[in-house]
Amino acid sequence: MVRVLKRNHTPVVKSLRNTLFIYLVIGTLLPLLLVGFVTYTSIYSILSGKIGNGISASLKQEASSLEIAIDNMDFASKQFALDGQIVEEMSSFIQEKQIYRKSQMMNSINQKINLVNFTNPYIGLTAYIMPSSDDPVLFTNMSARRNFDISTLPSFMRYNGADYYGPHSTMYAVGDNLVFSEQRIVRVPGEHKLYIYLETNYSLLRKIFNQESYGMKVNHLLVNQEGTSTYVIDGKLPQGIIKAAGSNSNLSHETLTGYHLFRYASPQGWKLIAVVKKSEFNSEIYSWFYKMILLAFSTLLFAGVLAWMIWKKIYGPLRKVNLEINRMAENVTSPVAYTNVEEFDFVLSNFQQMKKQVNELIVAVAHNEKQKSQFEIEKLLSQINPHFLHNTLNTVQWMARLNGQKEIDKLVTLLVKVLHYNLGKQSIIVTLGEEIEAIRNYMELQRIRYDYEFEFNVEADEDVLSVAVPRFLLQPLVENSIYHGLSDNGRVDVLITEHGEGEVQLCVRDNGAGMDVDTLDQLLSEDGAKKRGLGIGFSYVNRMLRTYYGEQMKLEMYSKLGEGTVVSIVIPRKGKEDFDD
C-alpha cells in the first residue's frame, strides 16, 4: 500500500499543473473556436452562395447574349431568305443569261446584303451559297475561303427552320476567330438549292465569354441541341469532366472531383456550362481560413504565456495544499493546517467539513446495517405465523379423516389450498390455470358456508390457461358478486376466452339485483367503491391491472337493475417471462 501511494503522488502534482495549463488554453481558445466555427459555417454559406450566385448570374448573362446573337442571326437570315424583293432578285439572277443584266442584279443584291449587315452589328460573314455550283459562293460581304464546305462544320442545333453550327473557325478568308453560323434555305424556282449563310461577328464570342466578369478563372463548355457534342470554348479540362458536363443532368449546380459545374439550359435547346476548379471557387474561403489559423496560433501563444504566469503565482500554495491533503489521507482525524491564503483556506475548510460528513456517513451505514439485520429477523418471524396456521390446519385435516368427518376434511382441505395460494411463497405472477384452480377452491368454500344457496360455474378456453396474470386477480371480483350481487338462487359465472389478436378477456357475471347508471359510475371511482363496501376488492384489481398492464388493459362494468352485474377485463396475452417479478 505504501508503494502505491508513492507511485501515485508525483503524477497528481504533475497532472494538476498540466490540467491548469490545458484549462487555460481551452478557456482562451474555446470562445475563439466557437466564434470561428459559427463564423466559418456562416461565412462558408455566405461566400459559397455569393460566388455561386455570381457565377450563375454571369453564366446566365453570357447565355442571354448568345441567345440574342442567335435570334439576330435568325432575324437577319429570314430577311435574306423570306424578303420578297431579295428573293425575287436572286431568282432572276440565277435564271438570267445576259452578263450585263447579271452585273446590275449583283450590285443591287450586294447593296442589300451590306445594308442588312450595317444595321445588325452582330452579323459577320454573310453569303448566298449554292452547293451544286462549281463555285458555291454566289454573293458575300467578305472574302470566303476557297474550301467553303458547310458539311464539315459541327452541328449545333435546328432552330426556327434553320441549321446552326459552331463554335468553329470563321469561313472568312483571313480570319481564324471562333464564330457561330447559320444556314437557311432560300426558296427559288428551279432545281438548284440556294442557301443563305450567316456568321456571328468575328469578336462576338470573345466578348461574350469574358473571364473578367467572373473574377476568377472559368472554363466554358457548350453542349449542342442533341447532347452529342461538347465543345470546350476556352482552356483544357479532363475528359471525365467534359463527359459529365455533356450528360443529360438537369442540375443547375453540380460538384464533381475537384470541379464545380454550373449549367444553363437555353430555351433554344443548347446548354452552356461554366466549370470552376474548387481551389478557385474556395479561394476567398481559404484566405479567411488562413487568417483564422494565424489568429488561433497567436491566441494559443498568449494562453501559454498566461498559463505560465498564473502557475508561477499559485504553485507554492498549491503544493502546500497538496501536502495537506496527503497528510489527511494518512491520518483522518488530524486537523487541517491552513495556508493563510484566503482562497486555498476556503477549499481546505470545505475539505475538513466533507471529512466530517464522511465520518458521519460511515457511522450511519454501520447503524443501517444493524437495523437491516433486525428487519431480516422480523421478516423471518412474520413468516412463522402462516406456517404455524398451515401446519395446524393440516393436523385438523388428518384428525377429521381419522374420525371419518368427511365434510370437515373437505372444508379444511379447501381452506388449506386457499391459504396456501393466498399466503404462500408463490410468485406474484401465476398462470390463469393456477388462478382458476384457486377460484374453484375459494368458491367451493363459500358455497359450503352459504349452504349451497348459489351456483358457480367456470369456463375457460384451453389455449389461455398458460397465460400469465397477477395472482389474486379474480377472487376479489367473485367475492364482490357473492357479498353484494347475489340473491336467492343466485349464480356466478367466470368466463375466460380469447379476445381479438393477442388479448384475453376475463369476465365475472352474476344474476343479482344489479344497479342503476349513477350507482355504477360512483362504483367505478375509487371513493365510490369504498362507500359501497367494495374498496378492498375492486380498487385492488384496478390498481393491480394498471401496475402490470398500464394503458394496455381495459376494465369495464355493466349492470342493469333486476338482471345482475358483469365485470369485464381485457388484458394482453403474456407469459411469465414478460413480467419483471
Side-chain angles (χ1 to χ4, degrees):
M1 293 297 294
V2 176
R3 286 186 177 180
V4 173
L5 289 174
K6 288 185 176 180
R7 194 176 299 169
N8 291 336
H9 176 73
T10 302
V12 169
V13 177
K14 184 177 181 181
S15 174
L16 182 60
R17 184 171 61 249
N18 293 340
T19 301
L20 177 62
F21 174 78
I22 293 172
Y23 284 175
L24 285 172
V25 170
I26 292 175
T28 309
L29 285 181
L30 185 59
L32 178 64
L33 293 176
L34 292 176
V35 172
F37 175 76
V38 174
T39 307
Y40 176 76
T41 54
S42 302
I43 289 293
Y44 185 85
S45 176
I46 293 172
L47 290 180
S48 298
K50 184 194 77 173
I51 297 170
N53 292 336
I55 293 175
S56 297
S58 299
L59 182 68
K60 188 175 182 180
Q61 184 176 0
E62 291 175 343
S64 177
S65 300
L66 185 56
E67 289 172 348
I68 292 173
I70 291 175
D71 286 335
N72 287 335
M73 290 174 61
D74 177 68
F75 176 75
S77 68
K78 288 178 179 178
Q79 286 182 293
F80 287 118
L82 302 178
D83 184 86
Q85 186 177 0
I86 298 179
V87 173
E88 184 179 352
E89 287 185 357
M90 285 299 303
S91 300
S92 301
F93 176 81
I94 293 173
Q95 296 175 1
E96 184 63 47
K97 302 298 182 182
Q98 294 184 6
I99 296 178
Y100 175 73
R101 289 286 301 164
K102 278 196 170 188
S103 64
Q104 288 182 331
M105 294 178 185
M106 287 178 62
N107 291 332
S108 177
I109 293 172
N110 284 328
Q111 287 178 359
K112 290 180 173 59
I113 292 175
N114 291 330
L115 178 61
V116 173
N117 282 101
F118 178 77
T119 57
N120 196 333
Y122 287 96
I123 304 301
L125 176 64
T126 305
Y128 280 102
I129 59 175
M130 185 178 292
S132 59
S133 300
D134 294 335
D135 185 6
V137 181
L138 300 183
F139 294 94
T140 180
N141 64 336
M142 298 179 179
S143 300
R145 295 182 182 179
R146 292 179 178 272
N147 58 345
F148 193 100
D149 186 2
I150 294 180
S151 62
T152 61
L153 300 180
S155 175
F156 184 58
M157 69 174 178
R158 177 86 178 164
Y159 179 63
N160 285 348
D163 295 316
Y164 289 81
Y165 306 93
H168 62 83
S169 297
T170 179
M171 289 296 179
Y172 181 43
V174 294
D176 59 353
N177 291 33
L178 288 178
V179 296
F180 283 89
S181 60
E182 176 194 2
Q183 175 184 269
R184 184 184 295 275
I185 191 168
V186 182
R187 306 294 180 183
V188 293
E191 298 179 356
H192 298 289
K193 290 186 177 181
L194 181 66
Y195 298 91
I196 182 67
Y197 174 82
L198 299 174
E199 287 184 356
T200 56
N201 188 292
Y202 74 95
S203 62
L204 180 64
L205 261 67
R206 188 169 61 251
K207 292 179 180 179
I208 291 178
F209 303 110
N210 187 2
Q211 297 281 344
E212 294 180 358
S213 61
Y214 290 92
M216 63 182 68
K217 185 177 180 181
V218 177
N219 298 105
H220 293 87
L221 298 176
L222 198 60
V223 182
N224 64 1
Q225 189 179 50
E226 302 297 327
T228 58
S229 176
T230 303
Y231 187 85
V232 182
I233 298 177
D234 44 15
K236 294 182 179 180
L237 290 171
Q239 286 299 321
I241 299 298
I242 297 175
K243 184 176 180 181
S247 64
N248 293 326
S249 175
N250 294 322
L251 296 175
S252 59
H253 179 209
E254 184 179 6
T255 302
L256 298 177
T257 53
Y259 291 89
H260 288 272
L261 275 66
F262 295 85
R263 288 185 177 86
Y264 174 83
S266 172
Q268 297 175 349
W270 47 270
K271 293 180 182 178
L272 181 62
I273 297 101
V275 182
V276 186
K277 282 187 176 181
K278 285 187 177 180
S279 57
E280 291 283 344
F281 187 87
N282 296 328
S283 58
E284 291 186 41
I285 299 174
Y286 291 156
S287 176
W288 176 88
F289 186 69
Y290 295 147
K291 292 178 182 178
M292 287 299 297
I293 290 178
L294 180 61
L295 178 61
F297 179 77
S298 302
T299 305
L300 181 63
L301 182 62
F302 171 76
V305 174
L306 182 63
W308 178 80
M309 293 176 63
I310 294 175
W311 175 252
K312 185 178 179 181
K313 292 293 183 181
I314 65 174
Y315 175 71
L318 275 176
R319 185 171 179 272
K320 190 172 182 180
V321 169
N322 187 46
L323 292 174
E324 283 297 325
I325 293 175
N326 288 333
R327 189 170 66 87
M328 285 188 294
E330 296 173 358
N331 188 356
V332 180
T333 60
S334 62
V336 173
Y338 294 98
T339 61
N340 296 325
V341 177
E342 181 180 357
E343 291 78 9
F344 293 104
D345 288 348
F346 176 75
V347 173
L348 290 174
S349 176
N350 289 337
F351 185 80
Q352 179 67 24
Q353 184 67 25
M354 181 190 68
K355 185 179 69 172
K356 179 181 178 182
Q357 293 176 354
V358 168
N359 291 332
E360 292 175 353
L361 287 174
I362 292 173
V363 174
V365 168
H367 178 70
N368 290 337
E369 286 295 326
K370 185 177 180 180
Q371 283 190 332
K372 182 179 179 182
S373 299
Q374 294 176 352
F375 290 153
E376 291 293 335
I377 295 173
E378 292 177 1
K379 181 180 178 181
L380 182 61
L381 291 175
S382 67
Q383 293 175 352
I384 293 175
N385 293 330
H387 284 293
F388 174 76
L389 178 60
H390 188 271
N391 293 335
T392 302
L393 288 173
N394 279 334
T395 302
V396 174
Q397 177 185 6
W398 283 108
M399 289 178 66
R401 289 182 183 178
L402 291 174
N403 293 318
Q405 299 292 333
K406 295 182 179 181
E407 292 296 328
I408 297 176
D409 179 25
K410 180 180 179 181
L411 179 63
V412 173
T413 300
L414 292 173
L415 180 58
V416 168
K417 290 181 178 181
V418 171
L419 289 175
H420 180 73
Y421 183 77
N422 291 348
L423 301 177
K425 296 183 179 179
Q426 299 182 50
S427 169
I428 192 64
I429 303 300
V430 296
T431 64
L432 277 175
E434 295 171 338
E435 184 74 5
I436 291 172
E437 182 182 358
I439 285 297
R440 291 183 190 275
N441 295 331
Y442 173 76
M443 290 304 294
E444 191 62 27
L445 278 176
Q446 294 290 4
R447 292 185 71 219
I448 294 172
R449 176 185 176 187
Y450 289 98
D451 196 17
Y452 298 97
E453 291 180 355
F454 64 89
E455 294 294 329
F456 176 71
N457 180 49
V458 177
E459 295 182 9
D461 294 344
E462 291 291 334
D463 295 338
V464 301
L465 294 180
S466 60
V467 174
V469 294
R471 185 160 60 95
F472 204 64
L473 181 62
L474 294 176
Q475 183 175 324
L477 300 179
V478 173
E479 185 175 359
N480 288 337
S481 296
I482 296 173
Y483 290 161
H484 305 281
L486 290 182
S487 58
D488 295 337
N489 299 320
R491 181 180 177 86
V492 178
D493 293 313
V494 177
L495 304 176
I496 302 175
T497 58
E498 292 185 356
H499 184 270
E501 183 177 355
E503 291 182 334
V504 178
Q505 183 178 29
L506 292 77
C507 185
V508 178
R509 181 176 61 197
D510 64 64
N511 61 347
M515 61 191 78
D516 57 25
V517 177
D518 294 336
T519 306
L520 184 63
D521 291 338
Q522 293 179 6
L523 185 61
L524 290 174
S525 65
E526 187 171 345
D527 293 338
K530 291 178 180 179
K531 291 178 181 178
R532 295 274 299 179
L534 305 179
I536 193 171
F538 195 81
S539 298
Y540 166 80
V541 173
N542 191 16
R543 287 197 304 271
M544 185 70 71
L545 289 173
R546 292 190 180 280
T547 300
Y548 285 95
Y549 298 103
E551 298 299 326
Q552 293 179 304
M553 71 86 184
K554 186 176 182 183
L555 176 60
E556 296 178 328
M557 180 180 288
Y558 310 94
S559 187
K560 191 172 183 182
L561 289 173
E563 294 186 8
T565 304
V566 178
V567 179
S568 173
I569 300 173
V570 178
I571 57 175
R573 187 167 186 156
K574 293 184 178 182
K576 287 188 175 182
E577 64 278 1
D578 298 325
F579 291 92
D580 183 15
D581 183 16

